[in-house]
Amino acid sequence: MFMRRRPLVRPVVRPAGAPLLRGALVGGAAYAAGRSAARASRREQDQEQAIADLQYQQQQQAQQAAPAPPPAPPQAAPAAQPAGQDPGGLTEQLARLGELAQQGVLTPEEFAAAKARLLAG
């Protein structure tokens, strides 16, 4: 009759707690890595906040130490001159306005308005 053959591959017998132990190790490592990343992120945010606070304090000290620039004198609109004449050195006045804008005395909006007044005549 037929004889029973021995199986070619023997089943691997693992202890009952092996999958549970492996899961605990993997899960524990992931948990520890997550906590470490969160701690590092929190530390970085604290450093960024401290840097922002220091920069703000330095700006405040610089503003208090530097005297406020005197207000720009109001520019009177020049009287209408006939075309072709240079009223009081139009190019000189424009150059002066440009210098004031570069020095920060005039804002870009004030510079544009004064320039338009000069060019309008």
Side-chain angles (χ1 to χ4, degrees):
M1 305 238 140
F2 295 105
M3 288 187 57
R4 212 166 160 207
R5 294 184 82 191
R6 200 169 112 184
L8 295 175
V9 179
R10 291 186 180 176
V12 177
V13 179
R14 294 185 180 157
L20 183 61
L21 180 61
R22 187 174 338 135
L25 286 175
V26 170
Y31 175 75
R35 281 183 53 109
S36 175
R39 247 181 286 146
S41 174
R42 220 173 329 159
R43 199 174 318 125
E44 186 174 332
Q45 287 175 352
D46 291 343
Q47 287 177 351
E48 288 176 1
Q49 183 63 36
I51 289 170
D53 291 343
L54 287 174
Q55 288 175 344
Y56 178 74
Q57 289 174 359
Q58 288 176 348
Q59 288 175 352
Q60 293 299 322
Q61 289 174 355
Q63 287 176 355
Q64 290 174 357
Q75 299 283 334
Q81 297 286 330
Q85 291 185 358
D86 196 21
L90 180 64
T91 54
E92 291 175 15
Q93 290 178 355
L94 286 174
R96 187 168 153 238
L97 281 175
E99 289 173 7
L100 290 175
Q102 285 179 349
Q103 292 172 358
V105 176
L106 292 177
T107 64
E109 294 81 18
E110 292 172 339
F111 172 72
K115 181 175 139 184
R117 280 194 308 255
L118 281 177
L119 294 176

